[in-house]
Amino acid sequence: MPQQIFFYLMKLPSFAMRFEFPKGIAVDASGYVYVADDAKHRIQKSDTNGNFRKEWGEEGSDKAEFKFPKGVAVDASGYLYVADDGNCRVQKFDTNGNFISEWGRKGSDKAEFKFPKGVAVDASGFVYVTDDENHRVQKFDTNGNFISEWGKRD
């Protein structure tokens, strides 16, 4: 199958809920499921029965592009956070995949990452990000403002 046809078919809903390396998963208050597919550099949205709803992303470093997305989390307001591992940042979207903001870059200082893997949001709306090669967890508000960090290599 020519490569162009393959990529076209992968954009069709009947083909879209196929994963290569699904890594992170989150469910919002409305029951939609979001999966980060590491190898396909995208986020897929489905209902709880796996019926395709939407997808976004491709490999790259611009807004709404990913390089090996890992973790996903949804806050109480319905915003989705993605740990964009290869781009060393966190991206924030609404639940329709519209880009809202991003923060982070490669480094070791506060609000910098060396390959973020996991992301979680607590009941107060704080965003927690595991920072793999910096051996720490960083805490942010929902706008990406640094709050604190903890951890060190064992």
Side-chain angles (χ1 to χ4, degrees):
M1 176 182 308
Q3 189 174 13
Q4 296 90 341
I5 294 172
F6 173 77
F7 287 119
Y8 171 77
L9 289 173
M10 290 309 293
K11 296 292 182 184
L12 296 175
S14 62
F15 285 84
M17 292 311 297
R18 296 178 185 220
F19 304 109
E20 194 162 338
F21 290 112
K23 297 292 183 181
I25 188 167
V27 181
D28 70 16
S30 298
Y32 290 107
V33 179
Y34 303 86
V35 177
D37 192 323
D38 179 67
K40 291 188 177 180
H41 311 284
R42 69 180 178 190
I43 305 300
Q44 292 191 65
K45 177 181 179 179
S46 69
D47 64 22
T48 56
N49 294 314
N51 297 306
F52 175 80
R53 294 294 183 245
K54 187 167 188 69
E55 69 175 28
W56 64 93
E58 60 184 75
E59 185 173 7
S61 58
D62 287 337
K63 295 174 180 175
E65 294 180 342
F66 305 104
K67 190 170 183 183
F68 308 111
K70 303 284 193 235
V72 291
V74 181
D75 70 15
S77 298
Y79 291 106
L80 181 76
Y81 301 85
V82 180
D84 188 1
D85 182 56
N87 287 316
C88 298
R89 65 183 175 184
V90 172
Q91 293 195 64
K92 180 179 177 180
F93 299 89
D94 68 17
T95 55
N96 289 314
N98 297 306
F99 177 83
I100 304 296
S101 65
E102 66 181 349
W103 66 87
R105 63 179 178 185
K106 190 171 185 177
S108 308
D109 290 335
K110 296 174 181 176
E112 294 180 343
F113 304 104
K114 282 191 181 171
F115 310 109
K117 303 287 192 232
V119 61
V121 182
D122 70 15
S124 299
F126 291 106
V127 180
Y128 301 83
V129 183
T130 59
D131 188 4
D132 190 45
E133 290 188 17
N134 285 320
H135 313 283
R136 65 184 175 184
V137 172
Q138 295 192 65
K139 180 180 178 180
F140 301 88
D141 67 16
T142 57
N143 294 313
N145 296 307
F146 176 83
I147 304 294
S148 64
E149 67 180 336
W150 62 90
K152 61 181 180 176
R153 187 175 189 141
D154 229 359

